[in-house]
Amino acid sequence: MASPNSKHPVALAIAGSDPGGGAGLQADLKTFAALGVYGYSVITEVIAQNSSRITSVENVSPEMVEAQLDTLALECAPRALKTGALASAAIVKAVARAIERLKLPAPVVDPVIVSSSGALLIGPKGERAIRKSLIPIARIVTPNIPEAEVLARIRIDSEAAIREAAIKIVKLGARAVVIKGGHRKDDASATDLFHDGRRFIELKSPRIAGGGAHGTGCAFSAAIAAYLARGMSLEEAVRGAKRYVTAALSHSFKLGKGRALLDHFARG
């Protein structure tokens, strides 16, 4: 167990549970371990799911979410943290409130709003809470294309629109954004766009055939947090996360009939 005086980097994930291990807190902790970081975790919702479907969800109370954060902070403040699925507006607000009250690091915000299949994962109140309470304190926001459309409130159908969305998301208060390009079917490469209010940087990697894998967004945001915990700059952390997920995707595998799962311990 890490202590306040430990030199071993600690990162914190605040997200829902995936009992199949491909996404959510389980994927975050695997990513932290693969990148040499000790992982704290705060659970926001218990989800009955596998790699292809969700059958039931039960939210943790906002008070319990704050209690988990308070108790962890008593022992050791993490060097970096990420948020994933936050389930409800009340939980979003509780997490944002605790981050500021406990003086935790500015979070890597994976805005889990829209699934890869287009399904809404949090209601309109939750989406507004993410925009108003969480993004303004974010170190970086990591939306996919559908989530960037929701946050920026524009239709993304071109390269220019992606840049416009990035500008709008940064104007919400985040220090930076990286819009993931997995949904860009017209792109022969998998191209993500990083914007920090000053620069646009395109991050390209070969597009891996197979329709993607379960939990790539979770692993990407967790990898950014892990690299930040290890002392990298934000740009270095994003580039490292891109390399990590590309390597993990290239070693993905299937356990059953659902989507492929990342090999979180793959080395790029």
Side-chain angles (χ1 to χ4, degrees), residues 163-177:
R163 293 192 172 220
E164 182 183 353
I167 291 169
K168 286 181 176 292
I169 292 169
V170 168
K171 284 184 176 179
L172 292 173
R175 299 183 198 177
V177 63

Side-chain angles (χ1 to χ4, degrees), residues 150-169:
V150 171
L151 293 174
R153 296 181 174 169
I154 65 169
R155 170 96 175 141
I156 296 177
D157 54 9
S158 66
E159 180 64 32
I162 293 174
R163 293 192 172 220
E164 182 183 353
I167 291 169
K168 286 181 176 292
I169 292 169

